[in-house]
Amino acid sequence: MRRSRAFIPTSKEAPSDATLASHIYLARAGFISQVAAGLYNYMPLAKRVIRKIENVINEEMSKVGAQEVELSFVTPADLWAESGRIEKFGKELLRFKDRKENLFVLGPTHEEMMVDLVRNRVTSYKNLPLNLYQMKTKFRDEARPRFGLMRGREFIMKDGYSFHASVEDLDREFESMEQAYKTILTRLGLEYRVVEADSGAIGGSGSKELMVIADSGEDTIAICSSCEYGANIEAAKRSFNPNPPKAPEAEFNKFLTPDVKSIEDLAEFLKIDAYYTIKCVAKRVVYEEESEIVLFFLRGCDNLQEVKAINATDALEIVDVSEEELKEIGIIPGFIGPLDQDKAKHVIDCELKNAPNMVCGANEKDYHYVGVDMKVLEDVAYFAEIAEVNEGDTCPHCEGTLSFTKGIEVGHIFKLGTTYSEALKAEYLDENGKAQPFVMGTYGMGVSRLVASVIEQHHDEQGCIWTKETAPYMVNIMISNIKNEAQVALGESLYAQLQEKNVEVMLDDRKERFGFKMKDAELIGFPYTIIIGKELENGAVQIYERKTQEKQAVNVDTIFEAIMELV
RNA sequence: CGGGGUGUAGCUCAGUAUGGUUAGAGUACCUGGUUUGGGACCAGGGGGCCGAAGGUUCGAGUCCUUUCACCCCGACCA
């Protein structure tokens, strides 16, 4: 492409609202332009990057036997009613009626559509397994889209779905897809981590997220210092503390603790470690039809993990509750304890099961119990994992310690089991001629989010630094002075030669000054720029590598071979 | 969905407290000239329903009411 003809509106100024590097540079370098909240136009450069990422995905998918399809973007609302997700998704589903008053939704994901496509067409175990996927625009009417391509309402996702006759076969496919996804991210030049994730409302027996490591990531992940373990903080586990602080020794006793309400005060007042205190987090737990106050008890040194709390209570959501609401039902904030607690339902963190030497509220103003042995509640209370892991906690799989880092969720793979096939009555006949629901897996990867992720990981103050597999053009040929005939002649000849070799090449033939064109090339982020300039008189040109910002002199006679070596 | 903020030239923003010539700057764009190794300079030029609708006033970018959009924090997010 000739730069003079290219539609690449670069700008010195970033959009006023852009905060992320990927948003700023993709906008400034003329890749994307915003249309409305969470909606972006992809301009030629972005389109090329997207296509390159899609090609990598396609190649890896075809290696593992997945087949590409494309389902319609507009989906009948009936299907969503059939699976029950029309309520679950709520306002995120963009709904509308056609001229015949039929209700449709723009597809936010395609489980229902894919099951509908396969049911009654694949009817025998002999035709399983089957793995179908598509690259498709998705639409989710998010409450708060943000961060450019990172969290748009409209975005491109690769979504794949597999169908199996057994859980074992699903496990095999899941493993194969995890490997394929890892290969894809490695090829794209991304540093990532595969982590265990919360399966959430979609259910299923397992899910893993592929996280691109970046400070700007919206997810917190816990990773082990010595083994491969990594997990989203929503799902992260830990081992019991192998070296707990020294336990306070006391006979079971009600103890006067005037005005001591917080865990810090309590630990200070009794001169004990917060590890031996029991904290209560009161929340309102919301179900489909009703809501109620639930008391969550955990160690004073821990915090409630809301996703775990939701899973433990089967709730739709959990919201804060005021002290007044607690007093109304006879609960005394600051002195809430699990013993003889009959005012509200409660959930106790599983680590407190059988824990001795604890201190907790006595459900009476200004009193705490000391010397509590939680064993007394062993058979009567509901224990569940509700505590959030802390940095420094012990890995659940080895002796290592956990630390936190931020990640961008670019992939999520699920073992769905039969959730959707049962809901949508999608069945096949097994060896005995008996109808069985498909065992399913689903595998998502955010294509447009990957575009942003590459830049989050690969940029500097000058702009984008594309990796080889993602670059919109591999080589930029810069003619420093367009009035110099020798420079133009060499530029044109190299341009033709590289095109001949199918190298993706840009020829900067604009009538601009050297500095302007360099800044532009750096902002866009071509991996290599061939600078044809003053040194041409002495038979030399330069190769500028974007990543290192180094210029290397090359003899004119060998420049073609030199650049072919690099690309 | 709660809290906050912003809408003026393609883009980034002044101007709005206290209403008053023809609404400004930088940048981008067009013309001409100079310049040609780090977003260069000089001269000239085009570009605006001041988010929208009502209202107050002799007069509204500026005051009042309504509304829409976008952004930020949080909640939410297979």
Side-chain angles (χ1 to χ4, degrees), chain A residues 6 17 45 62 98 112 122 131 157 159 175 190 199 253 304 307 320 335 350 379 410 413 419 434 527 567:
Chain A
D17 46 53
L45 289 178
S62 87
D98 67 5
E112 286 83 353
V122 175
N131 189 331
M157 178 162 85
D159 50 321
E175 171 72 17
L190 291 165
S199 294
N253 196 1
L304 182 69
V307 172
D320 288 341
F335 302 96
C350 52
D379 298 322
V410 295
I413 55 179
T419 316
K434 195 172 164 226
V567 300

Side-chain angles (χ1 to χ4, degrees), chain A residues 324-375:
Chain A
E324 285 65 38
E325 287 175 86
L326 291 176
K327 286 174 184 162
E328 269 172 34
I329 60 169
I331 287 173
I332 303 147
F335 302 96
I336 311 173
L339 301 183
D340 302 322
Q341 177 55 257
D342 55 3
K343 300 290 194 291
K345 217 196 251 184
H346 49 285
V347 181
I348 303 175
D349 186 57
C350 52
E351 283 199 17
L352 287 172
K353 204 168 192 171
N354 301 331
N357 305 315
M358 302 302 294
V359 174
C360 67
N363 297 313
E364 185 177 334
K365 188 168 167 21
D366 294 339
Y367 283 97
H368 280 84
Y369 288 125
V370 300
V372 175
D373 188 340
M374 292 295 286
K375 198 167 174 54

Side-chain angles (χ1 to χ4, degrees), chain A residues 56 102 146 345 363 464 533:
Chain A
V56 170
N102 290 323
R146 61 190 116 167
K345 217 196 251 184
N363 297 313
C464 306

Side-chain angles (χ1 to χ4, degrees), chain A residues 2-13:
Chain A
R2 289 174 186 275
R3 187 69 174 82
S4 59
R5 308 306 321 152
F7 178 53
I8 306 173
T10 57
S11 158
K12 259 196 257 192
E13 215 109 34

Side-chain angles (χ1 to χ4, degrees), chain A residues 3 10-12 28 462 476 478-482 487 508 510-524 526 529 531-534 542 544 546 549 551:
Chain A
R3 187 69 174 82
T10 57
S11 158
K12 259 196 257 192
R28 278 193 54 202
Q462 332 302 328
N476 177 45
M478 193 187 98
I479 301 171
S480 299
N481 184 350
I482 202 73
Q487 289 184 18
D508 196 340
R510 291 174 300 174
K511 183 177 173 295
E512 296 287 352
R513 293 163 64 91
F514 178 84
F516 182 91
K517 291 201 248 195
M518 276 304 287
K519 291 283 187 200
D520 207 58
E522 284 166 336
L523 179 60
I524 292 169
F526 305 104
T529 292
I531 301 171
I532 303 174
K534 289 204 292 208
Q542 287 169 310
Y544 169 83
R546 178 63 184 88
Q549 301 202 59
K551 293 171 190 161

Side-chain angles (χ1 to χ4, degrees), chain A residues 46 120 152 193 239 251 261 285 332 436 449 478 487 560:
Chain A
N120 301 326
R193 192 94 184 195
S239 292
E251 291 293 309
K261 292 180 175 178
V285 170
I332 303 147
Q436 303 280 3
R449 183 176 278 185
M478 193 187 98
Q487 289 184 18
F560 179 69

